Amino acid sequence: MLLIPCPHCGERDEHEFMNGGEADIARPAPDCSDEDWTAYLFLRANPKGPLKERWFHRFGCRRWFTLTRDTASHEFLP
């Protein structure tokens, strides 16, 4: 079981949350190419190590927040 540190509610069980994917992805300009739009929608870095992610506390405070998680160990970093 993964305990996720909600900044508003404290540590809670992973089943209370929804992962929103990689954070800080820049949306391309409206006149971008099809390749740029496809990369924005479907391609992600997927690194082994620290990754900033968006999380939604769906069964708690119902807020979105950003956390950094080590994808190899699943440890949340400050």
Side-chain angles (χ1 to χ4, degrees):
M1 175 176 68
L2 188 62
L3 290 177
I4 299 176
C6 176
H8 311 287
C9 305
E11 276 193 349
R12 300 295 175 102
D13 186 277
E14 65 183 305
H15 294 61
E16 293 187 16
F17 296 88
M18 180 180 74
N19 186 313
E22 188 176 348
D24 299 334
I25 298 174
R27 185 181 177 106
D31 59 347
C32 71
S33 68
D34 288 342
E35 290 80 18
D36 290 341
W37 186 248
T38 300
Y40 168 73
L41 291 177
F42 301 110
L43 302 180
R44 297 295 178 256
N46 197 21
K48 183 176 182 180
L51 177 67
K52 287 177 73 173
E53 297 176 321
R54 297 286 294 159
W55 289 88
F56 180 63
H57 196 176
R58 60 185 177 173
F59 297 134
C61 60
R62 301 193 54 79
R63 294 184 185 183
W64 283 96
F65 54 91
T66 302
L67 291 176
T68 302
R69 180 177 63 94
D70 187 322
T71 58
S73 67
H74 297 294
E75 177 185 357
F76 288 95
L77 307 171

